[in-house]
Amino acid sequence: MSSKNDVRLGLFIVIAGVVILLGKLGVFGFLGRTLWPFAIIIVGLLLHLLFFGKRARAYVLIPGGALVVYGLLFAICNFWGFDLLSYLWPVFLLGIAVGVYEYHMFESPKPEGVLLIALFLGVVSLVLLFFTLLHTGAIYVLAVLLIALGIWFISGKGRSRGNKWNRGW
């Protein structure tokens, strides 16, 4: 055997040993548990690339947009805990809305009624998300923001200077 082949074989054996060692130390398990939502995002982005690379029609943007939104949702839940899904479940509707909206934006000719469906799903999703977040600490943030906005208007900062109708109130 030549020295070139010895080096290749030695390098292969070292790499195999490192992979086995990292596997036994749990590195690959950690990466798999941590980074799996990005696999969903990548699939969604690949669907977008198929469309923008002119290899597929615009309907692939519906699952593509939904998968990107779902991947982001799962990444957030993977980081902060899946108990968040009890509050963030309306994002599943939002994912469909995003995909349908992208389809409407890029399909030619524009399909009838698709924009209305996307907007309806988006608004329903955001309203449901708002109400589910009201059961969390977000209600306190909303209360503080409303108090600050009220004080801002009371102090006169909300009035425009040039408008004579706002003076004296």
Side-chain angles (χ1 to χ4, degrees):
M1 206 170 358
S2 71
S3 67
K4 198 178 222 180
N5 286 339
D6 289 343
V7 170
R8 287 184 184 157
L9 179 61
L11 188 60
F12 175 76
I13 291 171
V14 168
I15 291 172
V18 168
V19 167
I20 291 170
L21 181 63
L22 290 175
K24 291 306 281 180
L25 292 174
V27 171
F28 297 122
F30 170 76
L31 291 176
R33 286 188 306 274
T34 306
L35 299 179
W36 68 267
F38 295 105
I40 297 172
I41 294 171
I42 289 170
V43 171
L45 293 176
L46 286 175
L47 289 172
H48 281 83
L49 285 175
L50 283 175
F51 170 72
F52 290 112
K54 310 249 186 262
R55 296 190 184 269
R57 303 252 340 241
Y59 58 80
V60 301
L61 295 174
I62 297 172
L67 286 174
V68 170
V69 171
Y70 297 162
L72 292 172
L73 172 66
F74 291 143
I76 290 168
C77 289
N78 207 20
F79 190 73
W80 282 294
F82 276 87
D83 54 326
L84 280 178
L85 276 180
S86 64
Y87 303 108
L88 297 179
W89 62 267
V91 175
F92 288 114
L93 284 176
L94 185 63
I96 297 169
V98 167
V100 171
Y101 183 74
E102 285 182 324
Y103 172 68
H104 164 76
M105 288 295 296
F106 294 106
E107 179 66 19
S108 182
K110 299 280 187 220
E112 289 185 35
V114 173
L115 178 62
L116 186 62
I117 292 169
L119 291 176
F120 176 75
L121 285 173
V123 167
V124 167
S125 170
L126 293 175
V127 167
L128 289 172
L129 186 62
F130 175 76
F131 283 115
T132 59
L133 290 178
L134 285 180
H135 295 288
T136 66
I139 191 69
Y140 297 109
V141 173
L142 177 64
V144 168
L145 287 175
L146 288 174
I147 291 167
L149 183 64
I151 291 171
W152 186 67
F153 275 111
I154 291 170
S155 69
K157 303 288 185 201
R159 288 188 219 136
S160 62
R161 299 192 187 270
N163 191 345
K164 67 180 181 180
W165 297 105
N166 282 338
R167 293 189 192 139
W169 289 100

